[in-house]
Amino acid sequence: MVMAPWHTTENSEPAASLADEVDRLVVRTDEEGANIDGIARRPGASTCYFTMHTAQWSATPLCPWSWAGGQGHRRRAGTGALPDFMSPITTTRSDAGRSGAQHAMAVDETIAAFVLGGTAPDAPGGVGTVRSWSTETEFLLPGGRRKVRPDGVWQAPEIGVPVLMVEVDRSTMAPADVAAKFPRYRELFRVKVRDNDPARSEEEPADRTVHWWRRTYPGHTGTGYPPVALVVTDAGPVALANRQEAVAELSAEVWGGRWCTVHRDDNDGDGWRVYDDAVPVVATTLEMLAEHGPLGPVWWRFGRSGRHCLIEALENPNNRAAYDQRQAVREDEQQKAHQELMDSLVCIDCGDIPEQESTWEYGLHGQWTRQPGGRCWTCHQKRKERLEREAEEQLEAARTANAALRPCWTCRGSIGGEEGSKLELREVAGPDRLECPGCVRDRVAKGLGPLVLPAPTKRELVAALVSVPDDPWWEARVLHAKLYPVRDRRA
């Protein structure tokens, strides 16, 4: 089969060179290279058919044939409905059933959509020629008894697709039966053969092997096996969408890959998938493929959301590169959050912005750590020493002042309390304090109530009019006499 991207002319007669005649031409030859028939689609015109051995154009085919079956027989022209862009499908044998012919027609339409491109005004063009295709190719599985026979094998190394196995599903099989085909593809792709590359001559013979498809279809640069395309048709849009999802769910073990992860605190259990033993599967409907072509956003990659063009759909989703990108984003966010925290920890004394290690806990048993609006460890230590020094100086001043005041009424010691005790006053005692802190504690513990000093006698009051009494509690006694009159005092 031959396909050439020839351009059209208005001449309806056969030209000496077919390059002047049609936009796209699909031809078929028999085993001897003779009896060549063709189909062409002219821009803005209906499909015309050309029989090269008779050099005649016709609105109907003189020798219709099947791309998929490869064994098309002649029939009388003009029978049966014809699609607007390809030749009709004939039965390949006298006992061929109607379903087989319809399946062959679906395969033909699939190949035409790949080669001719989409019919939508803005659809991308086709890719390759009919020479890029082989149909009904059989591959033997290990053991030699079982076979894998894709409906089409497409090679397009010019766009980075060395080989694509194509399965056309007319919705006549159960989804489980369609999904059962993909494990056989993986079994086929696992087969390795001897590698005679001179560069590997020093390796052990057992290690000098290569997957057969890397030699048969060179150009593979990524990991994983060659892809398989599933084209579904002959049902409504909702039914076809549900069918694709069902097949994907039933074959997830084949295309899903292995899950890997690195246990670390900053990735939230995230990981990636390894596709070294997975078969990439892309799916679409024949209607979408015919409208938008193979390079349009019609392909759904199993395990990935949305529809993409073929090249994007064949990229492995959630692989190590995608994980590295997500991890880089997480690390950037963490670094940004850390830097914001560091900026909030600027020292209010010296203006120092800490580094990572400056957030560690310091002091005995980690009793101090840097806080927003606080100080660095050095300034914190200096401030602590200064406060301790100021507190000691304040204590000494309070001791000196309290020693010069009246003594404790109960113990006759310093009104500030015993030096070095935890209850010792660190400030000057007020005029209303009558006991040291220790005696006040004892009075409360014994439930004695507040201390009330003896009221001044009349003689002491008269003497006070002449001279200041030599009594350190005189003013407190006079005050208590006013606050607690004699009649209100308990006996």
Side-chain angles (χ1 to χ4, degrees):
M1 294 179 290
V2 183
M3 170 66 192
W6 292 311
H7 300 284
T8 184
T9 65
E10 298 299 330
N11 184 11
S12 60
E13 296 297 330
S17 173
L18 289 180
D20 299 329
E21 189 63 29
V22 297
D23 175 55
R24 290 278 185 174
L25 178 67
V26 180
V27 298
R28 175 181 178 271
T29 62
D30 58 15
E31 295 180 357
E32 292 77 18
N35 200 19
I36 306 176
D37 301 316
I39 174 176
R41 184 173 66 191
R42 294 184 176 183
S46 60
T47 303
C48 293
Y49 301 88
F50 180 68
T51 305
M52 295 186 67
H53 72 286
T54 60
Q56 293 180 356
W57 286 101
S58 174
T60 57
L62 300 179
C63 181
W65 46 271
S66 169
W67 282 334
Q71 298 177 345
H73 295 285
R74 296 178 181 272
R75 67 176 174 83
R76 188 174 56 183
T79 60
L82 300 177
D84 60 353
F85 66 96
M86 63 182 301
S87 60
I89 300 299
T90 62
T91 56
T92 57
R93 294 181 178 88
S94 59
D95 59 346
R98 181 180 302 274
S99 61
Q102 292 175 350
H103 180 77
M105 169 68 85
V107 175
D108 284 0
E109 293 179 357
T110 300
I111 297 177
F114 270 85
V115 175
L116 301 178
T119 58
D122 57 346
V127 179
T129 67
V130 177
R131 289 185 181 274
S132 306
W133 285 86
S134 62
T135 58
E136 303 298 331
T137 304
E138 293 183 346
F139 299 93
L140 290 177
L141 291 174
R145 294 185 178 181
R146 296 174 300 131
K147 301 177 182 179
V148 174
R149 187 172 65 178
D151 294 317
V153 179
W154 183 52
Q155 301 179 60
E158 64 273 16
I159 63 171
V161 184
V163 65
L164 176 68
M165 305 293 180
V166 179
E167 288 284 346
V168 179
D169 174 33
R170 294 186 48 254
S171 305
T172 57
M173 301 172 60
D177 295 334
V178 179
K181 296 182 179 182
F182 300 125
R184 294 196 291 269
Y185 276 106
R186 183 172 63 176
E187 184 180 358
L188 174 65
F189 294 147
R190 284 174 174 173
V191 177
K192 291 185 176 182
V193 296
R194 178 182 177 84
D195 188 2
N196 297 321
D197 187 356
R200 305 182 62 182
S201 59
E202 298 181 358
E203 299 182 17
E204 294 294 332
D207 300 332
R208 201 162 59 245
T209 59
V210 65
H211 287 104
W212 66 269
W213 42 268
R214 290 191 179 274
R215 293 177 53 182
T216 306
Y217 308 107
H220 292 272
T221 57
T223 60
Y225 298 141
V228 177
L230 175 65
V231 181
V232 295
T233 186
D234 287 0
V238 176
L240 292 179
N242 294 336
R243 186 174 183 82
Q244 295 174 68
E245 294 179 359
V247 173
E249 182 178 355
L250 293 171
S251 60
E253 191 271 336
V254 177
W255 52 260
R258 295 181 294 108
W259 177 257
C260 298
T261 185
V262 176
H263 297 286
R264 45 192 298 178
D265 297 334
D266 59 349
N267 67 355
D268 300 327
D270 193 11
W272 66 94
R273 291 196 174 274
V274 178
Y275 296 92
D276 53 355
D277 192 41
V279 178
V281 181
V282 294
T284 187
T285 66
L286 180 56
E287 292 73 18
M288 296 176 62
L289 182 63
E291 182 179 1
H292 301 284
L295 299 184
V298 299
W299 299 100
W300 172 44
R301 169 69 181 267
F302 285 2
R304 185 177 177 182
S305 60
R307 293 191 178 270
H308 311 271
C309 70
L310 181 61
I311 305 303
E312 294 179 356
L314 293 180
E315 297 177 357
N316 290 328
N318 201 14
N319 55 12
R320 180 57 187 266
Y323 166 80
D324 291 340
Q325 292 179 357
R326 295 194 300 270
Q327 183 63 20
V329 172
R330 283 191 291 264
E331 292 176 355
D332 291 343
E333 292 177 351
Q334 293 171 358
Q335 179 62 27
K336 182 180 179 180
H338 171 74
Q339 188 58 45
E340 292 177 353
L341 174 61
M342 295 299 102
D343 293 341
S344 68
L345 297 178
V346 58
C347 179
I348 61 176
D349 289 344
C350 68
D352 172 67
I353 298 179
E355 299 293 339
Q356 178 70 31
E357 62 273 10
S358 298
T359 61
W360 291 352
E361 293 182 347
Y362 294 90
L364 182 62
H365 306 301
Q367 296 175 352
W368 179 90
T369 184
R370 197 159 181 168
Q371 299 294 335
R375 297 170 176 83
C376 64
W377 174 248
T378 303
C379 294
H380 170 76
Q381 287 291 88
K382 291 181 178 179
R383 181 175 180 271
K384 181 179 179 181
E385 294 173 358
R386 177 174 56 82
L387 293 178
E388 291 176 352
R389 184 172 59 254
E390 292 176 354
E392 188 66 25
E393 294 174 353
Q394 181 181 359
L395 178 60
E396 290 296 330
R399 284 176 180 175
T400 303
N402 290 332
L405 295 176
R406 58 193 177 278
C408 173
W409 174 268
T410 303
C411 68
R412 303 302 178 177
S414 174
I415 195 68
E418 184 181 359
E419 291 187 7
S421 67
K422 294 182 179 180
L423 298 177
E424 183 182 10
L425 295 179
R426 295 182 176 274
E427 66 278 348
V428 179
D432 57 340
R433 178 172 283 277
L434 303 177
E435 292 179 305
C436 67
C439 293
V440 172
R441 179 193 59 187
D442 295 340
R443 179 175 293 279
V444 173
K446 295 177 181 180
L448 298 178
L451 175 64
V452 179
L453 299 183
T457 63
K458 291 182 178 181
R459 180 178 295 181
E460 289 175 333
L461 292 174
V462 173
L465 296 177
V466 178
S467 62
V468 178
D470 187 16
D471 185 356
W473 298 286
W474 174 254
E475 294 181 359
R477 291 175 61 191
V478 174
L479 179 62
H480 277 219
K482 294 180 180 180
L483 296 176
Y484 309 105
V486 176
R487 63 177 179 272
D488 294 336
R489 299 189 182 196
R490 290 178 297 177

